[in-house]
Structure formats: C-alpha cells, structure tokens
Amino acid sequence: MNFIVNILSLGIPFSVALLIASLGEMFNQRAGVFNLGCEGIMAMGAFLGMLVPYSIGQGGPTPGIYNVLGLALAMGVGALFGMLFGFVVVTFRAPQGIAGIGLQMFGVGTAGTLFRHFVGGTQSVPGIGNLPIPFLSKIPILGPIFFSHNILVYLAFLFVPTAWYILFKTPWGLRVRAVGTNPRAADSIGIQVNKVRYQALAVGGALAGLAGAYLSLCQAKMFSDEIIAGRGFIAVALVYFGHWHPVKIMGGALLFSLAQALQLAIQGQGINFPYEFAVMLPYVMVIVVLAFSRESQLLGPTALGQPFNREKRI
Amino acid sequence: MEVTHKKITSLRMEHITKRFPGVLASDDITLTVEEGEVLALVGENGAGKTTLMNILMGLYQPDEGRILINGEEVHFKSPNDAFDAGLGMVHQQYMLVPNMTVLENIALGYKQAWSPIKLDLGMVRERINEISKKYGLFVDPDAYIWQLSVGEQQRVELVKTLCLGARFLILDEPTSALTPQETDELIVLLKRMSSELSIIFISHKLQEVKDLSDKIAILRHGAMVFEGTTKDHSPSDIAALMTGHEVDLPQNDAPSCNGTPVLDLKNLNVKSDRGFLALKDLNLTIRGGEIVGLAGVSGNGQRELAEAINGLRKVESGEILFFGENIANKTPYHIIEAGMGYIPEERNTEGIVPSFSMKENLILKDSGRDEFSKHSFLKNKAIEKNANDLRVKFDIRSPNIHVAAGSLSGGNIQKVILAREISRKPKFLIAVYPIRGLDLGAAEFIHKQLLEKRKEGIGILLVSEELDEILDLSDRVAVIFKGQIQKVLDRKDANRRSLGILMAGVKDDQTV
Ligand SMILES: Nc1ncnc2c1ncn2[C@@H]1O[C@H](COP(=O)(O)OP(=O)(O)OP(=O)(O)O)[C@@H](O)[C@H]1O
Ligand SMILES: [Mg+2]
C-alpha cells in the first residue's frame, strides 16, 4: 500500500512539467503549427526561472516574490520565443520540423551558455516549497497523493479544464481549431489565420517556459544542462498521444510520469532490475500506446504543419 | 439580432487584371451590378470566374484595376473588409471546417456571438433558425460537416452567408451539387431574395442562368467577351457564345445490350459515417457494354455504394461480384488492379493529390506499370508524353503539365480525373456526378467519351442527380432510395416524371 501511495505521490508532481508543456503544444498544433522547439523554450524557462531568485532574491526577506518573478520571466520569454518561431514558420513559411529543431538547439544552447556566464556551477535555490492543503492533506492515502504538493501542481491540473474550456467554448478556441484544420475556410470567413497562429504560438511558448521553470524551481531546485532531459519532445509526442484533447493529454502525462515513478521506486527498493530497462520503460509505453491508439483523423488539425498562403490554391 | 450594412446601390469592378504564373486569369475586366440586379457570370472551365470573384471578396489582390461601391473606391485587404461592406460569397470549394459542427462553422464568422470568454452558441443557433425559417433552408446545426453530403454542405454554405448578413451575394456554382428539386427551390429563393439584394451568380447550367438572371456576362480566357441582357438570348445562344460552337449533348440511342453481368451486387449492407445502415440489402447487376444510371436524391446511399465497391468503405455483409470474383472488403489496390475505374464525388480530396503536378496525377494509379517506370525509376519522358496527350485530348486548360493539380480551376481538376480514369482502359467504370462543375463543351465531350467506352463493351455505373444526364446516357435506370434500389427501368420506360416519383420514395408509380 505504502509503495503504491509513494509512486502516486511521486508521479503526480513528475507529470506537471509534461502536462503544462504539452497543453501549450496542444494549442500550437490545434492552430496548425507543431513546435519541436518546445524543449529549447523549456530550457530557457528553466534557466530564467531560477535566475531571478538566485541572483536578486538570494537571502531577501520575501523570496516568494522572486519566485513569482522568475516564473513570469520564464513565461514572457517563452511567449517571445514562440512568436519568434512564428516569424520563421508562419511569416516566412519555413519547414516547421527543421525550424523547431533549430529552436530546440538554440534554446538549450543559449540557456546553458548564459547559465555558465551568470551562475557558473551547480547552485541550488530554495525554490517553491510544498503547500499541503489544510485538512485535505491529512486524509490518509488521498492526502499525500493529491493534496500535499506545491502550488503549481494544483494549478497545472486546473489548466486542464481551463484549456478544454478555452479550446471548445471560447471564440478564440474556435478560431484556433479552424485555422489548424481548414485555414482557407477560416480565411474566407474573415479570420486572420496568421495572427491566430502567432497567438497560439505565444500561448504555447509561455506554457513551455512555465514548464521549464517548474523543473528548476519546484522539481530540481537548481539548473543544469540536462534538466529538461527530452521532456520537450515527450510533450510533443503526448499531444499526438492525447489526440489534441486536454483530458487525454493529461492521461498521457500521468501515465508516463507514473511509469517513471515506478521505475525509480523499483530501483529504490534495490530490486535487481537492469537500470537501462527501467529508463526505457516510460518511452516504450508511449510508443506502444501510440501504436495501438485508434486513429482519429477526423478530430485532429488536418492542416498541421502547412503554412498558409492565401493566393496559392494548394 | 439583425446584422445591418449600408445598402449597396451599385458595385463596379474596373479594368481588373490578375496574373498567376503562366496564366492571365483576369484580363482587363470591367463589370457593373446595380441594386436588386442578378448578374450571371458564365464561361468555360478556367475562364477566370472564380478568380474574379475572389478578387471582389478581398481574397486575391488584383494586379491592376479597382473596385467601386456606390461610386466610391474601396480597397479590400481581406475578406473581413468585404464582409464589412456587405458582401458575402458561397465558394465553389466549400469553405467549411470538417471536424466542427454546422453551428461552430457559422459561429466562426458570426462576430456578434463572440465575447472574449464565451462563445454564445445559443445566439448563433437562434440566428440559424431565423434564417432557416425565413428562407426555408433547413440544416442540422449539430451535425459535423464531415457527416454531411455535398448537397447538404452546399446548403450550410448558403445559410452561413445569409446568417452573416450579406447584402450582396456572390454564388460560385451554388447548384452544382444540388438535387434538381433543391436547385429549383434555390432558384425560386434567389429570385425572391433578389428584390432585397444584388446577386452575382456563376453557373454552367444555362437554364438556371436564363431563369434567374437579369444580365449576363461571358468570360473566355480571362477576358470579358460578351455582356448583355438575359431576356434577349436563348440558352443555346448563350452556349454558342460561350464555347464558340453549337453544343449538342449526345444521346445513347444504341440498342440495349445483352452482355454478361460484370458487376453483381448481392444483398449489400454498408454503414454510413454516422453509423446507421446506408445500404440495406442492395441488389444490382450491371452487364458489360451497358450504362446503368443510378438516379436518386443525394444522400440515399450513392456515396456509400461507390465507396464500398472501390474498397474505401467496409462492407458489413453481402457480395460484390466483379467478373465473378468477390471484391467486397478487398483493398483499393486489389480492386484497381482488377480493372475498376472510379471517378469520385469529392474530387479535391479523393481524385487527386493537390500538391502533385498535373502529370503525376495523371499516372497516379499506374506509377508502377512498365509503361511509366523501369527498375523502380519513373520514366519521365513517357509520363510527360502521356500528360501532354491527355491535356490535348481532354482539353485541360492549364499553363503546362508541371503545375500543381490543385492550382487548376474546379472544372479542370475534374477533367484531370476523368482523363486518367478513362484513358487507363478500365474494365468497368463508376462515374459519380462526372460532369459536375464542367462547362457545356466539356460535358458534351465527357458524355461522348462515356458512350465510346460503352461501345467498347465496358460496363458503366453512372451516379447522377441530373435526370437529363441519366436519360441521355443510360441503357437502364436504377432508382436508389434510402439505401435500396426502388426499381430498375429500361430507358424506354424512364422519363422525368416516373423517375421523380420513384426518387421521392414512392414504390410504384401506379399508386400516384
Ligand atoms: N491561386 C492560383 N494559383 C495559380 N493559378 C491559378 C490560381 N487561381 C486560379 N488560377 C488559374 O487561373 C485560371 C482561372 O481559374 P478560375 O478558377 O478562375 O476559373 P473558373 O472560371 O472559375 O473555372 P471553373 O468553371 O472550372 O471553376 C485557371 O487557369 C487557373 O489554373
Ligand atoms: Mg470556378
């Protein structure tokens, strides 16, 4: 029992960075742009998130403010990067895959370089601590699993219904879905396709930045070059896995993270299980599930990856 | 809530010129439409009708020329500007988002229902109801677009444009996918509407043009070649002006054949996209050397039938015997190899790969054949020769054979598909609405080709809603209703009246 509670209470906070980043990526893809540069934006977010509390907030009276500033900076720069990406793939219609890989390398490289310049070596920050919810966190079993996390965990799970609402119940969500599926139709009815795509990229970038900052401020409480560790790419995969739907994406993020927690727990128990297999496990799970998931072409953004050019018929 | 725009008392396009790579799509065109007028814009496939209207809607920017509304020059940078001026257009290629509902598609343009945090779908629904009632155009607001037949989508487009409050309607071939009844209703409706709005109407069907329009403008190769009042000209006059020669649609007057059955459908059950049975124990036999016309109001299972035969839709039960072999649930590849030719209804998504060049599309089904490839390399010379030959033979209007097929005009895309399917010498041909969107000259040519194939002994299943087309070409006519064959008539027993009654679902015409 304890073992299971451990895995769950470990796996849930693990899932948060993936969840936030993939919800952002979902908006990108719903608008017809896939951003493989997610990883790079996350790296920038992770660095900037910890930089603020590290450099100016050290020992200050209200470290909380600096954490918030760090998160805000990470989101702002993330949004900026998203729009920069838009400049390349929306305005100049560059191939999205290549541009995304470029952004990933640029982001990871820049974050690492700036880190060495401004911080130097491994430095930990106090970060954002846990915020057990009064009473609820005292409930046996459920308390530790659901109600003893830091505030971003709760927020991230609130993002899920919020993202759903935005996507399916607001005019902006409607526009996003339209430009990602049939940009020509959206254009013909007066929607500015490229503008909506920029907006979606900004939202996606901001969320990727936040996801990165979560890793440095809440999870690792430090920055290192490998802090993102491929999570940006997993986030992209999770969007496909979740068929562009916030709830299914959450399912994917949880599945992946619980598998990861399980793997850690198995190791922690000292069970003689080859380490490499344990690390592979979550990835294998995603591939298997992707391979067997029913194709739902009809739901997805069919114009994904296609730049829009009004005067070109195709 | 009523959308109001300023009245458009006159609209004028002056000296409009638009060039695309290799084509002069609009060549110094000037036209005027006054309040309450209906202008019919006609011309051959690729003449530049759609292009001109796209310029008017702000979708394309003209290279030269200007647009005046009520005497004042306007600049439409995007469709939004055109909407604001009160213009609305029903496009030739439907502008609908397939994975959204009718309601959502209309909400997309209905800005009154937009508040930053909530999309007021209730308001859109009310607006749709209002328009539906006012004009007698019924749509199911909650249906997804991908579930709708082409005709239903056409109706959605019209409702959408009306909901958005257009005072000046542009209709680009609005009737090409409608049933004859729907067409008649639409014409009546448009007539009624023309008292309160101006209309530009594009059509290849000259009877409609005659019935509806006040003025007529004919385009050829991008230039305006004729302008006049409709009542002074008969449809055949107009046809002659348009094509440069008298048009004479061919008739099938050969004696009916007694070939052996080549396609035999036995107790076929097939589901529709929405999951109910679209075909119920359907039986039909087609012999070699005969044309069987499948008449019926669209949405009665025609699409499912064509897709099931071609391996594109699962057959729940029953047999499809093709030269004795059961091809039910075989792969499309297998069925194509067995000699099936198919002219699909949805030509933009099924018949061609839009981003491939025209020459590639013309060998799409034969890229592996010795004729076009050797040691798994394509034989470019042979491919180009094939494309050039077909381009001439089928009169495909394109700057060259290297352009992307998707950049061709609607009618010319259709010609590419027809050219490929007819020229690859199939053993059987399923033609679904083969002349939809084709100009008269092209329709005449295609009909001749189909009759030619028939003479060669090929069986043809012709799916159409055009009773004239069916009556002109068929040896026998099968009427489909709610997924079943109502009755099969010999040509001599079939006429507009008997078919109309059967298509409406009355089993025996004696009872009427
Ligand atoms: N966006 C585009 N890019 C390149 N060529 C184009 C484009 N739009 C139109 N054309 C070309 O311009 C010409 C006119 O096309 P248009 O679609 O206006 O014809 P149309 O009169 O509407 O024909 P149809 O009756 O077949 O619909 C054609 O040769 C077409 O290939
Ligand atoms: Mg056209």
PDB file of all heavy atoms in Angstrom, chain A residues 96-129:
ATOM      1  N   GLN A  96       8.453  23.475 -40.684  1.00  0.00           N
ATOM      2  CA  GLN A  96       8.327  23.564 -39.235  1.00  0.00           C
ATOM      3  C   GLN A  96       9.236  22.597 -38.488  1.00  0.00           C
ATOM      4  O   GLN A  96       9.749  22.913 -37.420  1.00  0.00           O
ATOM      5  CB  GLN A  96       6.869  23.340 -38.841  1.00  0.00           C
ATOM      6  CG  GLN A  96       5.980  24.440 -39.396  1.00  0.00           C
ATOM      7  CD  GLN A  96       4.515  24.213 -39.099  1.00  0.00           C
ATOM      8  OE1 GLN A  96       4.147  23.262 -38.426  1.00  0.00           O
ATOM      9  NE2 GLN A  96       3.675  25.098 -39.613  1.00  0.00           N
ATOM     10  N   GLY A  97       9.426  21.406 -39.057  1.00  0.00           N
ATOM     11  CA  GLY A  97      10.262  20.431 -38.370  1.00  0.00           C
ATOM     12  C   GLY A  97      11.678  20.950 -38.174  1.00  0.00           C
ATOM     13  O   GLY A  97      12.226  20.939 -37.064  1.00  0.00           O
ATOM     14  N   ILE A  98      12.255  21.427 -39.253  1.00  0.00           N
ATOM     15  CA  ILE A  98      13.630  21.908 -39.204  1.00  0.00           C
ATOM     16  C   ILE A  98      13.740  23.138 -38.294  1.00  0.00           C
ATOM     17  O   ILE A  98      14.624  23.227 -37.444  1.00  0.00           O
ATOM     18  CB  ILE A  98      14.102  22.293 -40.625  1.00  0.00           C
ATOM     19  CG1 ILE A  98      14.101  21.066 -41.526  1.00  0.00           C
ATOM     20  CG2 ILE A  98      15.479  22.935 -40.594  1.00  0.00           C
ATOM     21  CD1 ILE A  98      15.039  19.998 -41.091  1.00  0.00           C
ATOM     22  N   ALA A  99      12.801  24.065 -38.470  1.00  0.00           N
ATOM     23  CA  ALA A  99      12.850  25.275 -37.655  1.00  0.00           C
ATOM     24  C   ALA A  99      12.732  24.916 -36.174  1.00  0.00           C
ATOM     25  O   ALA A  99      13.387  25.513 -35.322  1.00  0.00           O
ATOM     26  CB  ALA A  99      11.723  26.223 -38.062  1.00  0.00           C
ATOM     27  N   GLY A 100      11.910  23.934 -35.879  1.00  0.00           N
ATOM     28  CA  GLY A 100      11.714  23.515 -34.493  1.00  0.00           C
ATOM     29  C   GLY A 100      12.987  22.939 -33.908  1.00  0.00           C
ATOM     30  O   GLY A 100      13.366  23.238 -32.769  1.00  0.00           O
ATOM     31  N   ILE A 101      13.666  22.101 -34.689  1.00  0.00           N
ATOM     32  CA  ILE A 101      14.921  21.530 -34.196  1.00  0.00           C
ATOM     33  C   ILE A 101      15.926  22.658 -33.961  1.00  0.00           C
ATOM     34  O   ILE A 101      16.661  22.661 -32.975  1.00  0.00           O
ATOM     35  CB  ILE A 101      15.460  20.485 -35.187  1.00  0.00           C
ATOM     36  CG1 ILE A 101      14.518  19.274 -35.192  1.00  0.00           C
ATOM     37  CG2 ILE A 101      16.871  20.055 -34.810  1.00  0.00           C
ATOM     38  CD1 ILE A 101      14.843  18.250 -36.252  1.00  0.00           C
ATOM     39  N   GLY A 102      15.915  23.639 -34.862  1.00  0.00           N
ATOM     40  CA  GLY A 102      16.788  24.792 -34.686  1.00  0.00           C
ATOM     41  C   GLY A 102      16.499  25.514 -33.376  1.00  0.00           C
ATOM     42  O   GLY A 102      17.403  25.835 -32.609  1.00  0.00           O
ATOM     43  N   LEU A 103      15.218  25.736 -33.120  1.00  0.00           N
ATOM     44  CA  LEU A 103      14.833  26.442 -31.896  1.00  0.00           C
ATOM     45  C   LEU A 103      15.237  25.636 -30.662  1.00  0.00           C
ATOM     46  O   LEU A 103      15.709  26.192 -29.666  1.00  0.00           O
ATOM     47  CB  LEU A 103      13.321  26.684 -31.888  1.00  0.00           C
ATOM     48  CG  LEU A 103      12.755  27.377 -30.663  1.00  0.00           C
ATOM     49  CD1 LEU A 103      13.367  28.752 -30.482  1.00  0.00           C
ATOM     50  CD2 LEU A 103      11.231  27.490 -30.748  1.00  0.00           C
ATOM     51  N   GLN A 104      15.089  24.345 -30.754  1.00  0.00           N
ATOM     52  CA  GLN A 104      15.463  23.490 -29.628  1.00  0.00           C
ATOM     53  C   GLN A 104      16.950  23.652 -29.317  1.00  0.00           C
ATOM     54  O   GLN A 104      17.348  23.885 -28.182  1.00  0.00           O
ATOM     55  CB  GLN A 104      15.130  22.033 -29.971  1.00  0.00           C
ATOM     56  CG  GLN A 104      15.523  21.038 -28.898  1.00  0.00           C
ATOM     57  CD  GLN A 104      16.721  20.202 -29.301  1.00  0.00           C
ATOM     58  OE1 GLN A 104      16.929  19.934 -30.478  1.00  0.00           O
ATOM     59  NE2 GLN A 104      17.522  19.816 -28.324  1.00  0.00           N
ATOM     60  N   MET A 105      17.781  23.591 -30.375  1.00  0.00           N
ATOM     61  CA  MET A 105      19.225  23.696 -30.136  1.00  0.00           C
ATOM     62  C   MET A 105      19.595  25.093 -29.653  1.00  0.00           C
ATOM     63  O   MET A 105      20.411  25.257 -28.757  1.00  0.00           O
ATOM     64  CB  MET A 105      19.979  23.341 -31.412  1.00  0.00           C
ATOM     65  CG  MET A 105      19.702  21.921 -31.832  1.00  0.00           C
ATOM     66  SD  MET A 105      20.983  21.180 -32.831  1.00  0.00           S
ATOM     67  CE  MET A 105      20.643  21.865 -34.399  1.00  0.00           C
ATOM     68  N   PHE A 106      18.917  26.070 -30.250  1.00  0.00           N
ATOM     69  CA  PHE A 106      19.188  27.454 -29.851  1.00  0.00           C
ATOM     70  C   PHE A 106      18.841  27.668 -28.374  1.00  0.00           C
ATOM     71  O   PHE A 106      19.629  28.211 -27.596  1.00  0.00           O
ATOM     72  CB  PHE A 106      18.368  28.396 -30.736  1.00  0.00           C
ATOM     73  CG  PHE A 106      18.521  29.847 -30.386  1.00  0.00           C
ATOM     74  CD1 PHE A 106      19.719  30.505 -30.611  1.00  0.00           C
ATOM     75  CD2 PHE A 106      17.469  30.553 -29.825  1.00  0.00           C
ATOM     76  CE1 PHE A 106      19.866  31.846 -30.284  1.00  0.00           C
ATOM     77  CE2 PHE A 106      17.602  31.886 -29.495  1.00  0.00           C
ATOM     78  CZ  PHE A 106      18.806  32.538 -29.730  1.00  0.00           C
ATOM     79  N   GLY A 107      17.677  27.202 -27.986  1.00  0.00           N
ATOM     80  CA  GLY A 107      17.220  27.403 -26.609  1.00  0.00           C
ATOM     81  C   GLY A 107      18.107  26.684 -25.607  1.00  0.00           C
ATOM     82  O   GLY A 107      18.576  27.268 -24.621  1.00  0.00           O
ATOM     83  N   VAL A 108      18.360  25.409 -25.869  1.00  0.00           N
ATOM     84  CA  VAL A 108      19.174  24.629 -24.930  1.00  0.00           C
ATOM     85  C   VAL A 108      20.579  25.225 -24.841  1.00  0.00           C
ATOM     86  O   VAL A 108      21.132  25.405 -23.752  1.00  0.00           O
ATOM     87  CB  VAL A 108      19.224  23.146 -25.369  1.00  0.00           C
ATOM     88  CG1 VAL A 108      20.223  22.369 -24.534  1.00  0.00           C
ATOM     89  CG2 VAL A 108      17.839  22.521 -25.274  1.00  0.00           C
ATOM     90  N   GLY A 109      21.129  25.575 -26.019  1.00  0.00           N
ATOM     91  CA  GLY A 109      22.483  26.130 -26.047  1.00  0.00           C
ATOM     92  C   GLY A 109      22.563  27.465 -25.326  1.00  0.00           C
ATOM     93  O   GLY A 109      23.448  27.694 -24.494  1.00  0.00           O
ATOM     94  N   THR A 110      21.606  28.339 -25.619  1.00  0.00           N
ATOM     95  CA  THR A 110      21.632  29.662 -25.009  1.00  0.00           C
ATOM     96  C   THR A 110      21.477  29.554 -23.494  1.00  0.00           C
ATOM     97  O   THR A 110      22.197  30.203 -22.730  1.00  0.00           O
ATOM     98  CB  THR A 110      20.485  30.534 -25.570  1.00  0.00           C
ATOM     99  OG1 THR A 110      20.524  30.466 -26.973  1.00  0.00           O
ATOM    100  CG2 THR A 110      20.636  31.969 -25.129  1.00  0.00           C
ATOM    101  N   ALA A 111      20.542  28.725 -23.066  1.00  0.00           N
ATOM    102  CA  ALA A 111      20.318  28.585 -21.624  1.00  0.00           C
ATOM    103  C   ALA A 111      21.592  28.110 -20.930  1.00  0.00           C
ATOM    104  O   ALA A 111      22.010  28.656 -19.907  1.00  0.00           O
ATOM    105  CB  ALA A 111      19.157  27.619 -21.372  1.00  0.00           C
ATOM    106  N   GLY A 112      22.242  27.120 -21.553  1.00  0.00           N
ATOM    107  CA  GLY A 112      23.458  26.578 -20.949  1.00  0.00           C
ATOM    108  C   GLY A 112      24.569  27.619 -20.886  1.00  0.00           C
ATOM    109  O   GLY A 112      25.253  27.771 -19.858  1.00  0.00           O
ATOM    110  N   THR A 113      24.722  28.370 -21.964  1.00  0.00           N
ATOM    111  CA  THR A 113      25.783  29.377 -22.022  1.00  0.00           C
ATOM    112  C   THR A 113      25.545  30.489 -20.998  1.00  0.00           C
ATOM    113  O   THR A 113      26.444  30.867 -20.243  1.00  0.00           O
ATOM    114  CB  THR A 113      25.840  29.995 -23.432  1.00  0.00           C
ATOM    115  OG1 THR A 113      25.929  28.921 -24.374  1.00  0.00           O
ATOM    116  CG2 THR A 113      27.035  30.906 -23.575  1.00  0.00           C
ATOM    117  N   LEU A 114      24.323  30.978 -20.988  1.00  0.00           N
ATOM    118  CA  LEU A 114      24.003  32.046 -20.039  1.00  0.00           C
ATOM    119  C   LEU A 114      24.179  31.554 -18.604  1.00  0.00           C
ATOM    120  O   LEU A 114      24.642  32.279 -17.719  1.00  0.00           O
ATOM    121  CB  LEU A 114      22.563  32.538 -20.247  1.00  0.00           C
ATOM    122  CG  LEU A 114      22.315  33.276 -21.569  1.00  0.00           C
ATOM    123  CD1 LEU A 114      20.843  33.655 -21.698  1.00  0.00           C
ATOM    124  CD2 LEU A 114      23.184  34.518 -21.674  1.00  0.00           C
ATOM    125  N   PHE A 115      23.813  30.304 -18.404  1.00  0.00           N
ATOM    126  CA  PHE A 115      23.952  29.725 -17.063  1.00  0.00           C
ATOM    127  C   PHE A 115      25.414  29.740 -16.621  1.00  0.00           C
ATOM    128  O   PHE A 115      25.743  30.175 -15.516  1.00  0.00           O
ATOM    129  CB  PHE A 115      23.414  28.287 -17.080  1.00  0.00           C
ATOM    130  CG  PHE A 115      23.681  27.523 -15.828  1.00  0.00           C
ATOM    131  CD1 PHE A 115      23.034  27.861 -14.634  1.00  0.00           C
ATOM    132  CD2 PHE A 115      24.577  26.456 -15.813  1.00  0.00           C
ATOM    133  CE1 PHE A 115      23.277  27.157 -13.475  1.00  0.00           C
ATOM    134  CE2 PHE A 115      24.825  25.752 -14.651  1.00  0.00           C
ATOM    135  CZ  PHE A 115      24.177  26.092 -13.483  1.00  0.00           C
ATOM    136  N   ARG A 116      26.314  29.326 -17.513  1.00  0.00           N
ATOM    137  CA  ARG A 116      27.726  29.316 -17.149  1.00  0.00           C
ATOM    138  C   ARG A 116      28.234  30.730 -16.926  1.00  0.00           C
ATOM    139  O   ARG A 116      29.035  30.994 -16.057  1.00  0.00           O
ATOM    140  CB  ARG A 116      28.551  28.599 -18.226  1.00  0.00           C
ATOM    141  CG  ARG A 116      28.869  27.168 -17.827  1.00  0.00           C
ATOM    142  CD  ARG A 116      29.576  26.405 -18.920  1.00  0.00           C
ATOM    143  NE  ARG A 116      28.739  26.223 -20.091  1.00  0.00           N
ATOM    144  CZ  ARG A 116      27.721  25.364 -20.142  1.00  0.00           C
ATOM    145  NH1 ARG A 116      27.467  24.588 -19.098  1.00  0.00           N
ATOM    146  NH2 ARG A 116      26.988  25.264 -21.227  1.00  0.00           N
ATOM    147  N   HIS A 117      27.687  31.669 -17.699  1.00  0.00           N
ATOM    148  CA  HIS A 117      28.153  33.034 -17.572  1.00  0.00           C
ATOM    149  C   HIS A 117      27.673  33.687 -16.279  1.00  0.00           C
ATOM    150  O   HIS A 117      28.423  34.308 -15.559  1.00  0.00           O
ATOM    151  CB  HIS A 117      27.691  33.857 -18.785  1.00  0.00           C
ATOM    152  CG  HIS A 117      28.280  35.229 -18.838  1.00  0.00           C
ATOM    153  ND1 HIS A 117      27.625  36.330 -18.355  1.00  0.00           N
ATOM    154  CD2 HIS A 117      29.485  35.661 -19.278  1.00  0.00           C
ATOM    155  CE1 HIS A 117      28.398  37.393 -18.513  1.00  0.00           C
ATOM    156  NE2 HIS A 117      29.536  37.010 -19.071  1.00  0.00           N
ATOM    157  N   PHE A 118      26.370  33.537 -16.000  1.00  0.00           N
ATOM    158  CA  PHE A 118      25.812  34.258 -14.856  1.00  0.00           C
ATOM    159  C   PHE A 118      25.854  33.474 -13.551  1.00  0.00           C
ATOM    160  O   PHE A 118      25.854  34.051 -12.478  1.00  0.00           O
ATOM    161  CB  PHE A 118      24.359  34.664 -15.141  1.00  0.00           C
ATOM    162  CG  PHE A 118      24.248  35.776 -16.151  1.00  0.00           C
ATOM    163  CD1 PHE A 118      23.808  35.531 -17.443  1.00  0.00           C
ATOM    164  CD2 PHE A 118      24.609  37.074 -15.782  1.00  0.00           C
ATOM    165  CE1 PHE A 118      23.721  36.555 -18.357  1.00  0.00           C
ATOM    166  CE2 PHE A 118      24.515  38.104 -16.716  1.00  0.00           C
ATOM    167  CZ  PHE A 118      24.075  37.850 -17.998  1.00  0.00           C
ATOM    168  N   VAL A 119      25.812  32.180 -13.635  1.00  0.00           N
ATOM    169  CA  VAL A 119      25.747  31.388 -12.409  1.00  0.00           C
ATOM    170  C   VAL A 119      27.031  30.607 -12.189  1.00  0.00           C
ATOM    171  O   VAL A 119      27.570  30.567 -11.090  1.00  0.00           O
ATOM    172  CB  VAL A 119      24.532  30.433 -12.444  1.00  0.00           C
ATOM    173  CG1 VAL A 119      24.442  29.645 -11.151  1.00  0.00           C
ATOM    174  CG2 VAL A 119      23.244  31.222 -12.688  1.00  0.00           C
ATOM    175  N   GLY A 120      27.545  30.040 -13.244  1.00  0.00           N
ATOM    176  CA  GLY A 120      28.788  29.292 -13.116  1.00  0.00           C
ATOM    177  C   GLY A 120      28.522  27.819 -12.926  1.00  0.00           C
ATOM    178  O   GLY A 120      28.286  27.106 -13.876  1.00  0.00           O
ATOM    179  N   GLY A 121      28.514  27.363 -11.722  1.00  0.00           N
ATOM    180  CA  GLY A 121      28.347  25.933 -11.490  1.00  0.00           C
ATOM    181  C   GLY A 121      27.011  25.628 -10.845  1.00  0.00           C
ATOM    182  O   GLY A 121      26.135  26.474 -10.752  1.00  0.00           O
ATOM    183  N   THR A 122      26.905  24.398 -10.418  1.00  0.00           N
ATOM    184  CA  THR A 122      25.653  23.959  -9.809  1.00  0.00           C
ATOM    185  C   THR A 122      25.354  24.766  -8.557  1.00  0.00           C
ATOM    186  O   THR A 122      26.161  24.829  -7.636  1.00  0.00           O
ATOM    187  CB  THR A 122      25.760  22.472  -9.433  1.00  0.00           C
ATOM    188  OG1 THR A 122      26.250  21.778 -10.575  1.00  0.00           O
ATOM    189  CG2 THR A 122      24.420  21.934  -9.017  1.00  0.00           C
ATOM    190  N   GLN A 123      24.252  25.411  -8.561  1.00  0.00           N
ATOM    191  CA  GLN A 123      23.813  26.195  -7.409  1.00  0.00           C
ATOM    192  C   GLN A 123      22.367  25.854  -7.153  1.00  0.00           C
ATOM    193  O   GLN A 123      21.562  25.877  -8.066  1.00  0.00           O
ATOM    194  CB  GLN A 123      23.906  27.704  -7.712  1.00  0.00           C
ATOM    195  CG  GLN A 123      25.300  28.203  -7.957  1.00  0.00           C
ATOM    196  CD  GLN A 123      26.077  28.377  -6.670  1.00  0.00           C
ATOM    197  OE1 GLN A 123      25.508  28.305  -5.576  1.00  0.00           O
ATOM    198  NE2 GLN A 123      27.374  28.590  -6.795  1.00  0.00           N
ATOM    199  N   SER A 124      22.034  25.599  -5.907  1.00  0.00           N
ATOM    200  CA  SER A 124      20.630  25.297  -5.691  1.00  0.00           C
ATOM    201  C   SER A 124      19.920  26.549  -5.193  1.00  0.00           C
ATOM    202  O   SER A 124      20.521  27.471  -4.653  1.00  0.00           O
ATOM    203  CB  SER A 124      20.470  24.153  -4.694  1.00  0.00           C
ATOM    204  OG  SER A 124      20.980  24.555  -3.460  1.00  0.00           O
ATOM    205  N   VAL A 125      18.618  26.561  -5.461  1.00  0.00           N
ATOM    206  CA  VAL A 125      17.793  27.672  -4.991  1.00  0.00           C
ATOM    207  C   VAL A 125      16.755  27.095  -4.029  1.00  0.00           C
ATOM    208  O   VAL A 125      16.455  25.908  -4.099  1.00  0.00           O
ATOM    209  CB  VAL A 125      17.072  28.374  -6.153  1.00  0.00           C
ATOM    210  CG1 VAL A 125      18.026  29.240  -6.936  1.00  0.00           C
ATOM    211  CG2 VAL A 125      16.377  27.364  -7.048  1.00  0.00           C
ATOM    212  N   PRO A 126      16.245  27.953  -3.131  1.00  0.00           N
ATOM    213  CA  PRO A 126      15.223  27.423  -2.222  1.00  0.00           C
ATOM    214  C   PRO A 126      14.002  26.913  -2.986  1.00  0.00           C
ATOM    215  O   PRO A 126      13.382  25.935  -2.596  1.00  0.00           O
ATOM    216  CB  PRO A 126      14.847  28.612  -1.334  1.00  0.00           C
ATOM    217  CG  PRO A 126      15.647  29.781  -1.791  1.00  0.00           C
ATOM    218  CD  PRO A 126      16.560  29.364  -2.876  1.00  0.00           C
ATOM    219  N   GLY A 127      13.707  27.595  -4.088  1.00  0.00           N
ATOM    220  CA  GLY A 127      12.605  27.129  -4.921  1.00  0.00           C
ATOM    221  C   GLY A 127      11.254  27.314  -4.267  1.00  0.00           C
ATOM    222  O   GLY A 127      11.106  28.040  -3.281  1.00  0.00           O
ATOM    223  N   ILE A 128      10.282  26.647  -4.847  1.00  0.00           N
ATOM    224  CA  ILE A 128       8.918  26.771  -4.361  1.00  0.00           C
ATOM    225  C   ILE A 128       8.582  25.519  -3.576  1.00  0.00           C
ATOM    226  O   ILE A 128       8.639  24.417  -4.109  1.00  0.00           O
ATOM    227  CB  ILE A 128       7.946  26.950  -5.542  1.00  0.00           C
ATOM    228  CG1 ILE A 128       8.293  28.251  -6.299  1.00  0.00           C
ATOM    229  CG2 ILE A 128       6.504  26.962  -5.063  1.00  0.00           C
ATOM    230  CD1 ILE A 128       7.535  28.443  -7.569  1.00  0.00           C
ATOM    231  N   GLY A 129       8.249  25.729  -2.316  1.00  0.00           N
ATOM    232  CA  GLY A 129       8.020  24.581  -1.448  1.00  0.00           C
ATOM    233  C   GLY A 129       6.618  24.029  -1.571  1.00  0.00           C
ATOM    234  O   GLY A 129       5.771  24.559  -2.282  1.00  0.00           O
TER     235      GLY A 129
END
